[in-house]
Amino acid sequence: GAGVSQSPRYKVAKRGQDVALRCDPISGHVSLFWYQQALGQGPEFLTYFQNEAQLDKSGLPSDRFFAERPEGSVSTLKIQRTQQEDSAVYLCASSNRWAGRTYNEQFFGPGTRLTVL
Amino acid sequence: AQRVTQPEKLLSVFKGAPVELKCNYSYSGSPELFWYVQYSRQRLQLLLRHISRESIKGFTADLNKGETSFHLKKPFAQEEDSAMYYCALKGGATNKLIFGTGTLLAVQP
């Protein structure tokens, strides 16, 4: 079956531009995560959704970062007024168990590589 | 603070040699630990989790709470094991993962 998909795969933005990154989770997965992976680093948690509810946004680095999942499926990560330090790969992952119950595997998308010039 | 440390950025071994990828963690409470792998041009995928106590592709990892370690081991490396390996810790009630910085394993023929 289809895995997690992300679009675009690559995005080049000029500093100060707004960008929107899309994630299509595996159908039926209630949990959705966004991670940021800078060059040479491991992924770092940004935010978590359970269906349409954003239950944890403790990893968002600033108020320029905003995520939504209005219908509990597709999610969008928006970055306003991009800065060079936002350059990274943004990963989306989904899983099919409620948070707090038995952990279920997170399935990762291919990522969106954002380059801010 | 919750943290995962992978001290080696690169580990190079010859085919058939034993492999040990190191992982240490910091966590107050009962930890849940995982190894993720990313092969060239593929997406990040789960390799194994400590709860399952399983062996996947010949790899095993034992949780040592006394040493706060979760090292990944394989007795005989294969060229197809060459990949980036990340150790990860489940942090909090939301199942978010805390990753280490990763170790690139290069298996030479």
Side-chain angles (χ1 to χ4, degrees):
Chain A
V4 178
S5 61
Q6 293 186 244
S7 61
R9 292 294 312 280
Y10 302 91
K11 177 69 179 176
V12 179
K14 292 184 179 179
R15 191 173 58 181
Q17 282 185 332
D18 298 347
V19 299
L21 313 180
R22 177 186 169 109
C23 172
D24 285 79
I26 294 172
S27 178
H29 278 195
V30 299
S31 297
L32 186 146
F33 303 81
W34 283 99
Y35 294 86
Q36 179 191 57
Q37 186 172 19
L39 189 63
Q41 302 297 315
E44 290 192 6
F45 170 78
L46 293 176
T47 187
Y48 163 71
F49 289 88
Q50 183 173 286
N51 293 308
E52 69 277 4
Q54 188 174 20
L55 299 186
D56 186 348
K57 51 183 180 179
S58 62
L60 296 176
S62 77
D63 58 8
R64 296 186 296 104
F65 287 71
F66 171 77
E68 60 183 4
R69 194 186 185 197
E71 296 180 358
S73 55
V74 171
S75 177
T76 303
L77 176 67
K78 297 179 179 178
I79 309 173
Q80 296 178 324
R81 305 181 303 282
T82 53
Q83 303 294 315
Q84 285 187 321
E85 61 263 28
D86 300 335
S87 295
V89 175
Y90 290 84
L91 296 170
C92 176
S94 70
S95 69
N96 66 354
R97 286 293 178 90
W98 297 92
R101 291 173 58 182
T102 304
Y103 174 89
N104 205 1
E105 181 178 348
Q106 290 185 29
F107 293 87
F108 282 82
T112 295
R113 182 177 296 277
L114 173 65
T115 303
V116 182
L117 303 176
Chain B
Q2 301 169 353
R3 188 168 59 245
V4 175
T5 302
Q6 294 180 252
E8 304 142 327
K9 279 197 174 295
L10 171 67
L11 183 62
S12 183
V13 302
F14 287 103
K15 176 183 173 181
V19 170
E20 182 178 55
L21 301 173
K22 291 184 168 45
C23 172
N24 289 88
Y25 66 90
S26 173
Y27 185 74
S28 56
S30 187
E32 291 185 51
L33 285 141
F34 311 85
W35 278 97
Y36 276 77
V37 60
Q38 188 167 25
Y39 300 101
S40 179
R41 287 185 287 277
Q42 294 188 25
R43 58 189 69 189
L44 198 60
Q45 60 186 285
L46 179 66
L47 179 62
L48 54 80
R49 65 192 80 178
H50 92 269
I51 288 178
S52 302
R53 302 184 65 82
E54 58 201 344
S55 174
I56 301 292
K57 300 183 179 182
F59 284 98
T60 59
D62 291 319
L63 179 61
N64 186 323
K65 291 186 179 181
E67 296 182 359
T68 60
S69 69
F70 187 56
H71 303 326
L72 183 67
K73 300 178 183 179
K74 184 170 182 176
F76 308 103
Q78 303 299 314
E79 289 181 66
E80 55 265 30
D81 297 329
S82 296
M84 195 73 180
Y85 291 81
Y86 294 95
C87 183
L89 169 70
K90 175 191 165 186
T94 58
N95 284 339
K96 67 183 180 185
L97 293 172
I98 299 163
F99 287 88
T101 51
T103 298
L104 179 62
L105 174 63
V107 182
Q108 311 294 334

